[in-house]
Structures are given as structure tokens and as C-alpha cells.
Amino acid sequence: MSENALTPGIIAGRLDAASLAENFSDLHPPLDDHEALVAADRCYFCHDAPCMTACPTTIDIPLFIRQIATGTPEAAAETILNQNILGGMCARVCPTETLCEEVCVREAAEGKPVLIGQLQRYATDVLMATGKHPFARAEPTGKKVAVVGAGPAGLACAHRLAMLGHDVVVFDGRNKPGGLNEFGIASYKSVDGFAEREVDWLLQIGGITIKTGKRLGREVALADLRAAYDAVFLAIGLGGVNALGLAGEDKDGLSDAVDFIAELRQTGDLTKLPIGRDVVVIGGGMTAVDAAVQAKLLGALNVSLVYRRGRDRMNASRFEQDLAASKGVRIITNAAPVAVHGNGAVREIEFEYTDNDLNPTGQTFRLPADQVFKAIGQTLEGDDLPVLEARKIAVTGPGRTSVERVWAGGDCAAGGDDLTVTAVAEGRDTAIDIHATLVG
Amino acid sequence: MADLTSNFIGIISPNPFWLASAPPTDKEYNVRRAFEAGWGGVVWKTLGEAGPPVVNVNGPRYGAIWGADRRLLGLNNIELITDRPLEVNLEEMKRVKRDWPDRALIASLMVPVNEDAWKDILHRVEDTGCDGVELNFGCPHGMSERGMGSAVGQVPEYVGQVAHWCKKHSDLPVIVKLTPNITDIRKPAQAAKEGGADAVSLINTINSITSVNLDLFAPEPTIDGQGAHGGYCGPAVKPIALNMVAEIARDPATAGLPISGIGGVTTWRDAAEFMALGAGNVQVCTAAMTYGFKVVQEMISGLSQYMDEKGFTSVDQLVGRAVPNVVNWQDLNLNYIAKAKINQDECIKCGRCFAACEDTSHQAISMSQDRVFEVKDDECVACNLCVNVCPIEGCITMEPMAAGAVDPRTGQVVKEEYANWTTHPNNPGKCAAE
Ligand SMILES: Cc1cc2nc3c(=O)[nH]c(=O)nc-3n(C[C@H](O)[C@H](O)[C@H](O)COP(=O)(O)OP(=O)(O)OC[C@H]3O[C@@H](n4cnc5c(N)ncnc54)[C@H](O)[C@@H]3O)c2cc1C
Ligand SMILES: Cc1cc2nc3c(=O)[nH]c(=O)nc-3n(C[C@H](O)[C@H](O)[C@H](O)COP(=O)(O)O)c2cc1C
Ligand code: SF4
Ligand code: SF4
Ligand code: SF4
């Protein structure tokens, strides 16, 4: 047990630098050449492959795996990136266990799918290590498109537009592009500054200007963009967070999981990042799991993840849940927060057990907590947006909004899962629709 | 992306990957889908004479052998030429060629050995607009019993004669497809060339029995308790095909005769190997039958990447590049000395190299108490067996010894100069070194 393990409160340096480095290393270490060949060998090159259908960006998985097997990982990478320009990030963060790998026929045959995600990472790593960018721009069209938001949706859209010959300016409110790839994804899924490297690599296509610190509704207005550009793509993600609606929610020690994760992602020195001794995370999605796991990896003594419904209803996949459990996170289900106790700062948080229909049971319990992370969903922020539907921007077909020449995609648009890969697919498909509209 | 355009005896196709004459090319439906998938050309399933078509068996016609994980390595078939009427095939060919003018479409033909039969069929196929004909002298079963297929291909005079008739009665380029079921593949190739053929293609399938049913005591595939030998193809036949292609490519009598390489082509690398040994293009059957038409996409991307890496701007720059390095055994340099070397970081200590070398080779690998395997340079003859049995690619390598070093096995200094068996002191028939 480390020196600071039992110290109460939110403090830095619970673990030494070496333990932290070990804890935050690659979740799945990259495959070496031999491992990649053995893994690729297992693919049956299925006809009309189920894995390909399950991929939101429809990567030709059998083809790219065959290209790895025949010693041309660079060609494999092109097959991947042609469909999904952020194939490198997706290889690291996609919940493959609920996408391609879930339906792999070798999952049916032996309960062990082909390691599609890891093979995708192998191929894209090989290509990106060459520093080369395999795509070139078409003849200039003379059209200009504004993209708002430099997350996966915005970047994928910008890249495809640039490839099709348009000039693209991307506005982002933050000081760095990448969106949640840079500020949200768990550290151990994207190590060594991969998000930043990937953006740099993507921009090699040319024709894309990124303007950071430019927030829609603050420095830029939609009307101005519509006037100055031939088309606008809104990909602003979900900037807001839901509140618990509890008395005492403003006590010290309570914060949003996404802010904690963003801070963690941007911290150069993890020994300086404070974390509680008894941490409680409220929520049941990927954000909740990531916050809980990373709290534990930072050295929190007790970490509980509390979700109001049953385990089968959690948005985090079984793999994510098991990952949390394996790191020592205690998962409590069917319990909703009812009160925050403490004097100025949180000391305890009280829950009431709920049945499967969320009806209160009258039975309550308290968890000691010096730090509480809320991870009960993100919301769309901003006024002056096109018409909404279910609190997101309403779209028809490939991202068309209620406003002419304005498209939307990614998390901020209604429909589709809130996943990196879905954002990429929507960004790409919107680019194709914008292109068709502009050059008709 | 390199330009893969292929010009084979004047027949242009967007890439050098053609489907061989076989079930994948048996009808319009297939061929259209093959072209959509990216194949550069097809050799239509072999056509026979007009009149009632041949009949196939109605039971299993394929047998196979598999590698680990049931990967299909060799396929055997007892299928005949097309069993659909000639007129139907010809109409379909015409339609397909009209709609796909940039792809190669070759008619494969097999009719009895008489001039009128060949003259007649040639005139009929000319009307389809096809780019050339391939004479099927290869089919090893069913047709050979009727005096066609390999029964012709095994007699060089017949091969030359039919090639001659075809050149006489048609302006179409003529490719002669050779059977491997013959002792010296150069003979029919020479005959084809003398007969005026524009090219040869090889190999057709090899006589084979893939397995025996030990309950029925009959070869497989078993039809009502009996089986017949079939024709073998797929990855397992590639080494045989490569050698036959190289034999023709380096035979002075046939050097320069265009070759279409066939036999086990499954990946871009297989294709590149055939081409390096002198094949102007390749034909594929089993890989398409195993993985579907889409398999060509890997061949295209892989060959393209390889050509880019090598700086080749045309497939012709690859064709025949390895031919000068194919020599007879007696021409190999006996002063070249290598030793196996085990990379301890890669080794997983399975001991397969040890078993192979200790039990069946030169006792040149040592094994320690804690399972460290090392090559004994004073015993190693560099036979390469350990390299071939090691499960880890690249773990054991063959390291050439530098000139001037002493070979610990023989105590001799490694010589710089080249010297082969023809001048070796142990050779009773040696000629004096100049
Ligand atoms: C903690 C966490 C972990 C996750 N883990 C995974 C995972 O492992 N796998 C997975 O597939 N998905 C994961 N997701 C979901 C995934 O990150 C998102 O679905 C994806 O990033 C959505 O992409 P996007 O481009 O729509 O939005 P974002 O990535 O949110 O990008 C939006 C961008 O717009 C900018 N922006 C916002 N408002 C404005 C404005 N008004 N003006 C200008 N710019 C603005 C933001 O700064 C940001 O750069 C996770 C999400 C979170 C929160
Ligand atoms: C089922 C089957 C039928 C074939 N029929 C023909 C044929 O009609 N004419 C012909 O020239 N070759 C025929 N072949 C031989 C192929 O064209 C080819 O020469 C051979 O299969 C080797 O190539 P591969 O290893 O790529 O399969 C046939 C092969 C198979 C498997
Ligand atoms: S389902 Fe599995 S085996 Fe089939 S193509 Fe996809 S990865 Fe390969
Ligand atoms: S492959 Fe098709 S035609 Fe052949 S036996 Fe199977 S189902 Fe029948
Ligand atoms: S066969 Fe290869 S892996 Fe096995 S012991 Fe020998 S060198 Fe090592």
C-alpha cells in the first residue's frame, strides 16, 4: 500500500510516477508482426461479411485482414481509412464487442472473434508510422464549407470535403482540435498523444484550416457562417451535462465526470492530479466507467459506480463493466441518489434502491464519499440552432437540418449511437451529401 | 497506385488477373459479377462441339485437402467441360463482351482432333467478338478417355498440329493450355510454338486422388460407392506450376514465348512470383472458388503496392525478372557457405528445430537444460530444415559467411570466387577451370 493511500480528501500523489505510468499504459498493447499474422489467419474472408455490416463506417474488414495476411498492411490501412479516416482512433476506442467482433462468425464458432479492432490498429499504425498520407485532393471546386466542431464528426466531414476539392474552415470553441478524442476518451485507450498525432496526419490532405478558440454563439454566429460559406456543418457534440437535481449538489467534491476526464487527459504529470480516497461515480454509461476506472488507476482507495437501473440496462458494454470490475471498481445497480451529505464538502452520498421500473423501494444506504462524479448523460448546448428533436438537432437523410445549407452530425444530431465511429460515419456521409448539393 | 494494365499477346486488360476456364467462368451471370468485382479478363469455361453437350456426374465432383484451421490447400475435381449447349454459351459471350469491351474474354475450346471440327468451332466463336482462343489440351479426366484434353496434350505432335490448324483458320490469338501430366513440359510447349501458337498457358489440373473413404473403401469424392481420379489444383500445386513455367521460360527453344501462368494463384504474391518466372499474366480458379470473386481486390492492391515499392511502372518490368537466376543444380556456387542462426528474442522454445535437426538432419542444434536452442556452427550444413519447421516467421535465418572467414565445420577458409560442381575435384567428369 502506498504512503498516501489512506489519506482522506482529494489529494494528488496517491501513487508514484512508476505505478501511474504502468496503470495508464495501453489497454491493449499493439500486436507485433507475428501476432498480427496469426490473428489475421483466423479470418474466413466471409461473403457479405457480418462484421462489415456491423461497422457503422462499413470498413471492408475481410479485405483489410487479407491484406495484412498477405504482407501488405499499408494496403490494409488504405482499405480502412478510405471508409473511416479516423480508423486509427476507432481501432482503439470502438466497443468492438458490441459491433464488428460481436457478429464475427468465429465468435459463433469458438466464442472467440477475430481480433478486428487490434488488427485495424496494427495496419493503421504501420501506415501512419511511414508519415505518408495516402489520399490526394480532387481538382479545386472553388466552394467553401464551414465546419463547426473539430471532433470526429467534424474532422471526418472536413477530410472528405477536402478530398472532394472543397476548401474547409473548421471552427472549434476549445484551444485544441480533436473533440472527445482529445478530451474524453479514456487515457489507456489512446496513449502517447495519439489523438493529436492523428489530427496532424489527417490534415496532411491540405485544404483544411482549423480555427480554435472560436465558439459558435460566442465568436462566430450561424448567420454569418451561412453568409460567408457555401455550406455549414454543425458537429458540436454535447457540451452540457445533466444535473442530478438533488439538494446539496453544489457541495465541494461533486463534479462532472467529463470535466474530470478532460483534465486527466490534458494533465502532463499524473502525480499532480488530485483524486479522492472514496470516490462515487453516478451513471451507467461509458463515461461513468471511464471515470470510475481512471479514478481507481489514479489511486483512489474505494471507487463505486452506482447506476439506477439493472446491470443489463447499463449503456457500458459487458466488456467495459468487466474491465471496471477487474480494476477493483464496485458496481452497484438499482440505486438512485437521494441526498448529498456533508458540511460544505461532500462526506457521504445517500442512495435509495429502486426496482426495475425505477420505483423507489424505501430502502436507503449511504456511501462514504469525498469525491462524486456525475455521469448521467451529456446534453446539447447552444441557442440559435436549427430545429431540435429529442433535445438534439433534428436531421433528415444525411444530416440535413431545418435550415437551408446547414447540416449536422455526430453526437449533436438526433439518431445514431453516441460513438466515435458513428460520428465519423455521419461526418463522411454528410460531406458526400454537401458535395452533391454544391456541385450538383 | 501502380498502373497494372496488361498487354498479353496484344490482348489488353486493366490488370493481369484473369479467371481460368472453369466453373467461375461457366456462364454470363458469373462472368458479369467477376468483372464487377475487378477481374481483368476471363477464359470462358471450355466449349465443346455443337450438339448434345457432355453430362456431369450428379454426385460430388470435388475432393479437397486442408491445412490447419480447415484452410483449403488442394482441390480435386471430376468435372468436364461446359455441360450447357454451345449456342447458349456463344450468345452469352457475345453479350458480355459487348458490355465489357475493356476486359479480356477468351474462348476455351476442346473438340476432337480433326481439322474440320476445329475450323467449325473457330468460326463460331469468332462471331462472339472474343479476344482470343485457348486450346484446352489439359483436362485429365472424362475428356481424355474420349481422345481429347490431356490425351492430346500428352502428344506433342497433336499439340503442334491443332495449333497449326487454329492459326490457319482464324486470325484470333491462340493460347495453348498445357497439361502437367507429362514428363517434360518443354516438349508440348515447343510443339505449340512450332505450330504457330501465340502463347502457352499452364498448368491445367494434375491427376490425383485426394483421399480414400475408409468405410466405403473408395476414393473420394465417392459416387455411389466408387470414385475416379480427378484433376488437382489450388495452393498445393503452385510449386509444380512455377517450375513448369520456369522450364519453358528458360528453354532456349521456347524462350520469349508468352506464358499465362496458372496453378494455385491465391494472393498478389503468388501472381508476382509467376510473373517473375516469365508469366505475362496469371489465371486463377481455385482461389475464386474458395473465397469468391472479391479475392481479386487483394491481388490488385498487393501487386500495385509491390510495384510502387520496386519502382516498376508497368507489369512488363516484372515479367521474367527471375528467369536468369533459375539455373541447373550444377551451376550453383559451392563456395557459398551459410549457417542457420536462431534469434533468441523471437524463439518460443518449442524445440521443433531441434527435433528436426537432431533426428533427421545434421545434429547441429543444441538444447540446454533450460530449453535454449542454439545452432552449432561446426555441424550446421545450412540445409534450411530448421527454418522451414520453425513456427515463428523470421526467427531462424540463414546467414552467409563472409569470404576469408573459416567455416568451423570444415576448417576451410570461405572463398570469394564462384566455383560449381562442374569444376569440383570430386566430380569425375569435371572440366578444367579456365
Ligand atoms: C468520457 C467519454 C468517453 C467516451 N468513450 C468512448 C469510447 O471509448 N468509444 C466510443 O466509440 N465513443 C466514446 N465516447 C463517445 C464519443 O467520444 C463521441 O460519440 C464522439 O466524440 C462524438 O463526436 P462529435 O464529433 O459528434 O463530438 P465531440 O467529440 O464532442 O466534438 C465536438 C467538438 O465541438 C466543439 N464544440 C462544441 N460546441 C461548440 C461551439 N458552440 N462552437 C464551436 N465548437 C464547439 C468541441 O470543443 C469539440 O471539439 C465517449 C464519450 C465520453 C464523454
Ligand atoms: C472444377 C474445375 C473445372 C475445370 N474445368 C476446366 C475447363 O473446363 N477447362 C480448362 O481449361 N480448365 C479447367 N479447369 C482447370 C483450371 O482452369 C486451372 O487450370 C486449374 O484449376 C489450376 O488453377 P488453380 O490452382 O488456380 O485452380 C478446371 C478446374 C476446376 C477446379
Ligand atoms: S465475420 Fe469474422 S471471420 Fe468473417 S470476415 Fe469478418 S472478421 Fe473475418
Ligand atoms: S456448393 Fe451449392 S451446389 Fe454445391 S453442393 Fe453446396 S449447395 Fe449444392
Ligand atoms: S523451432 Fe523456432 S521457436 Fe521453436 S525452438 Fe527452434 S528456433 Fe525456437
Side-chain angles (χ1 to χ4, degrees):
Chain A
M1 186 178 285
S2 76
E3 205 182 319
N4 293 328
L6 297 177
T7 314
I10 306 177
I11 61 156
R14 290 192 181 274
L15 297 177
D16 59 30
S19 313
L20 286 169
E22 160 88 31
N23 284 358
F24 285 90
S25 63
D26 231 322
L27 178 62
H28 300 290
L31 299 177
D32 66 22
D33 295 344
H34 172 71
E35 290 169 319
L37 285 176
V38 172
D41 243 15
R42 288 188 67 235
C43 173
Y44 286 144
F45 199 70
C46 297
H47 174 70
D48 194 7
C51 53
M52 187 169 163
T53 313
C55 170
T57 53
T58 331
I59 291 173
D60 194 335
I61 294 165
L63 179 60
F64 97 68
I65 295 182
R66 195 170 177 82
Q67 289 167 320
I68 292 175
T70 62
T72 52
E74 299 86 353
E78 257 190 80
T79 301
I80 295 160
L81 298 162
N82 197 29
Q83 286 294 105
N84 179 334
I85 196 65
L86 297 180
M89 182 59 80
C90 287
R92 292 160 165 82
V93 306
C94 273
T96 52
E97 63 280 2
T98 60
L99 297 169
C100 53
E101 290 181 15
E102 181 179 41
V103 297
C104 172
V105 302
R106 301 219 62 169
E107 172 67 33
E110 295 110 7
K112 289 192 185 65
V114 173
L115 299 176
I116 301 169
Q118 293 187 63
L119 285 166
Q120 179 169 323
R121 170 159 177 199
Y122 173 79
T124 50
D125 278 357
V126 168
L127 183 85
M128 285 176 68
T130 68
K132 280 190 224 132
H133 189 91
F135 305 107
R137 297 188 68 192
E139 288 298 304
T141 60
K143 303 283 183 191
K144 289 191 302 178
V145 182
V147 169
V148 189
L155 290 170
C157 181
H159 185 272
R160 186 59 56 137
L161 286 169
M163 218 169 131
L164 293 167
H166 308 288
D167 286 324
V168 187
V169 180
V170 185
F171 300 90
D172 198 290
R174 294 216 191 223
N175 61 356
K176 223 174 171 185
L180 290 172
N181 286 359
E182 181 61 48
F183 295 95
I185 296 298
S187 297
Y188 44 80
K189 291 185 187 168
S190 167
V191 300
D192 299 332
F194 180 76
E196 197 172 338
R197 279 192 282 133
E198 190 178 41
V199 173
D200 291 344
W201 171 87
L202 177 149
L203 293 177
Q204 284 180 34
I205 181 93
I208 304 174
T209 310
I210 299 217
K211 296 195 171 171
T212 53
K214 301 279 180 228
R215 194 177 163 80
L216 184 73
R218 202 173 61 198
E219 289 82 4
V220 281
L222 186 55
D224 296 342
L225 292 179
R226 287 186 65 213
Y229 293 87
D230 297 295
V232 180
F233 179 53
L234 299 175
I236 55 177
L238 301 173
V241 284
N242 290 322
L244 290 172
L246 292 181
E249 200 173 332
D250 54 352
K251 286 197 200 311
D252 286 350
L254 262 81
S255 60
D256 294 322
V258 283
D259 292 340
F260 160 63
I261 292 169
E263 194 185 348
L264 180 114
R265 282 293 304 274
Q266 300 305 311
T267 301
D269 181 359
L270 290 173
T271 61
K272 301 261 157 52
L273 190 70
I275 191 73
R277 187 184 87 157
D278 300 302
V279 175
V280 174
V281 182
I282 302 172
M286 219 177 287
T287 307
V289 167
D290 286 359
V293 169
Q294 292 178 111
K296 191 77 199 163
L297 299 177
L298 277 173
L301 187 65
N302 298 303
V303 179
S304 310
L305 183 154
V306 189
Y307 178 54
R308 60 190 179 142
R309 297 180 194 267
R311 200 149 167 176
D312 52 322
R313 297 283 298 272
M314 282 175 71
N315 263 334
S317 70
R318 191 79 209 185
F319 171 82
E320 303 271 345
Q321 297 175 33
D322 290 349
L323 176 74
S326 77
K327 300 291 178 194
V329 173
R330 180 180 172 209
I331 298 178
I332 301 171
T333 53
N334 288 98
V338 289
V340 182
H341 302 285
N343 195 359
V346 57
R347 293 300 316 144
E348 279 183 332
I349 177 158
E350 186 172 345
F351 293 88
E352 179 170 10
Y353 283 114
T354 56
D355 70 12
N356 282 337
D357 299 319
L358 291 183
N359 298 314
T361 58
Q363 294 200 45
T364 61
F365 66 94
R366 291 182 178 205
L367 291 177
D370 38 32
Q371 193 165 27
V372 177
F373 295 123
K374 297 175 281 180
I376 54 169
Q378 286 94 259
T379 54
L380 178 61
E381 265 186 336
D383 358 278
D384 191 23
L385 293 172
V387 170
L388 304 189
E389 171 196 332
R391 297 162 72 207
K392 292 187 168 194
I393 301 173
V395 290
T396 50
R400 298 185 187 183
T401 70
S402 60
V403 181
E404 216 192 324
R405 291 188 295 109
V406 177
W407 282 257
D411 284 1
C412 71
D417 292 327
D418 287 349
L419 293 174
T420 309
V421 65
T422 316
V424 172
E426 291 174 6
R428 177 199 68 192
D429 294 347
T430 301
I432 292 167
D433 194 51
I434 292 175
H435 174 72
T437 310
L438 295 189
V439 304
Chain B
M1 172 108 194
D3 180 4
L4 298 185
T5 305
S6 151
N7 178 347
F8 185 73
I9 55 170
I11 303 168
I12 312 285
S13 54
N15 61 55
F17 305 111
W18 291 4
L19 280 168
S21 174
T25 64
D26 192 23
K27 51 171 112 64
E28 179 175 359
Y29 175 81
N30 295 7
V31 174
R32 282 185 187 277
R33 292 180 65 243
F35 284 161
E36 279 157 21
W39 290 92
V42 302
V43 184
W44 203 275
K45 173 76 181 170
T46 304
L47 308 174
E49 284 184 296
V54 301
V55 294
N56 273 300
V57 295
N58 297 300
R61 48 180 100 161
Y62 304 123
I65 62 159
W66 297 272
D69 210 4
R70 226 177 128 83
R71 169 158 308 187
L72 193 138
L73 293 182
L75 185 71
N76 152 297
N77 84 87
I78 53 169
E79 188 179 274
L80 306 183
I81 63 174
T82 184
D83 55 13
R84 304 181 326 131
L86 178 64
E87 296 70 23
V88 173
N89 277 306
L90 294 174
E91 277 165 30
E92 293 184 358
M93 289 165 71
K94 193 170 182 173
R95 276 202 296 272
V96 173
K97 183 63 203 182
R98 189 194 58 207
D99 292 350
W100 292 88
D102 71 321
R103 309 300 168 95
L105 193 150
I106 311 296
S108 168
L109 307 175
M110 184 194 287
V111 295
V113 189
N114 71 66
E115 190 165 352
D116 288 342
W118 284 95
K119 185 175 164 189
D120 179 64
I121 187 100
L122 281 165
H123 289 159
R124 283 164 178 266
V125 299
E126 270 173 353
D127 187 44
T128 63
C130 68
D131 300 293
V133 293
E134 186 179 80
L135 317 184
N136 177 356
F137 296 152
C139 192
H141 49 260
M143 306 311 293
S144 49
E145 290 91 323
R146 305 174 204 193
M148 292 182 271
S150 62
V152 181
Q154 286 163 343
V155 185
E157 298 82 70
Y158 294 170
V159 171
Q161 178 67 73
V162 177
H164 177 69
W165 290 335
C166 291
K167 283 312 284 183
K168 179 168 147 200
H169 293 295
S170 171
D171 293 333
L172 287 172
V174 171
I175 305 167
V176 170
K177 184 165 180 180
L178 303 178
T179 175
N181 298 311
I182 187 165
T183 315
D184 186 349
I185 196 69
R186 293 172 301 181
K187 295 293 183 290
Q190 289 162 6
K193 188 180 180 195
E194 281 154 22
D198 299 280
V200 290
S201 58
L202 69 159
I203 57 174
N204 209 310
T205 55
I206 304 175
N207 285 341
S208 65
I209 292 176
T210 40
S211 55
V212 176
N213 186 309
L214 291 179
D215 297 313
L216 299 173
F217 297 101
E220 294 189 308
T222 310
I223 312 269
D224 196 19
Q226 296 179 310
H229 79 257
Y232 199 42
C233 50
V237 310
K238 183 184 118 185
I240 297 164
L242 281 179
N243 175 55
M244 290 184 165
V245 165
E247 286 293 284
I248 295 171
R250 71 194 188 94
D251 177 6
T254 47
L257 177 66
I259 302 170
S260 184
I262 318 172
V265 175
T266 313
T267 68
W268 73 267
R269 180 176 286 276
D270 300 325
E273 291 174 11
F274 270 98
M275 293 169 81
L277 284 179
N281 74 1
V282 293
Q283 297 183 30
V284 177
C285 167
T286 305
M289 292 183 70
T290 312
Y291 301 107
F293 289 142
K294 184 176 150 179
V295 76
V296 73
Q297 290 169 11
E298 180 279 332
M299 299 182 192
I300 291 170
S301 71
L303 185 64
S304 164
Q305 178 175 331
Y306 170 76
M307 284 179 41
D308 285 342
E309 283 167 9
K310 289 283 172 207
F312 297 157
T313 50
S314 145
V315 289
D316 293 339
Q317 292 165 9
L318 167 61
V319 175
R321 242 186 147 88
V323 175
N325 293 328
V326 184
V327 297
N328 293 332
W329 185 91
Q330 62 175 20
D331 296 324
L332 296 172
N333 183 5
L334 292 172
N335 282 345
Y336 175 85
I337 296 171
K339 299 288 171 192
K341 186 156 186 278
I342 297 176
N343 179 337
Q344 298 299 335
D345 294 334
E346 298 279 327
C347 174
I348 57 170
K349 305 191 188 306
C350 68
R352 284 176 67 165
C353 56
F354 180 83
C357 192
E358 188 71 9
D359 291 2
T360 73
S361 272
H362 295 79
Q363 297 75 45
I365 294 179
S366 64
M367 175 180 173
S368 71
Q369 283 288 332
D370 52 348
R371 296 187 73 82
V372 175
F373 296 91
E374 278 169 322
V375 175
K376 300 186 245 174
D377 284 352
D378 56 344
E379 298 291 349
C380 176
V381 301
C383 72
N384 213 38
L385 181 65
C386 55
V387 174
N388 295 143
V389 302
C390 174
I392 308 292
E393 202 179 63
C395 171
I396 312 183
T397 48
M398 276 295 155
E399 305 291 332
M401 293 189 71
V406 175
D407 178 353
R409 185 175 70 89
T410 59
Q412 306 277 312
V413 175
V414 179
K415 296 197 190 74
E416 176 96 57
E417 65 275 12
Y418 163 97
N420 64 36
W421 172 246
T422 59
T423 56
H424 195 276
N426 292 13
N427 180 357
K430 72 169 186 289
C431 33
E434 297 299 317

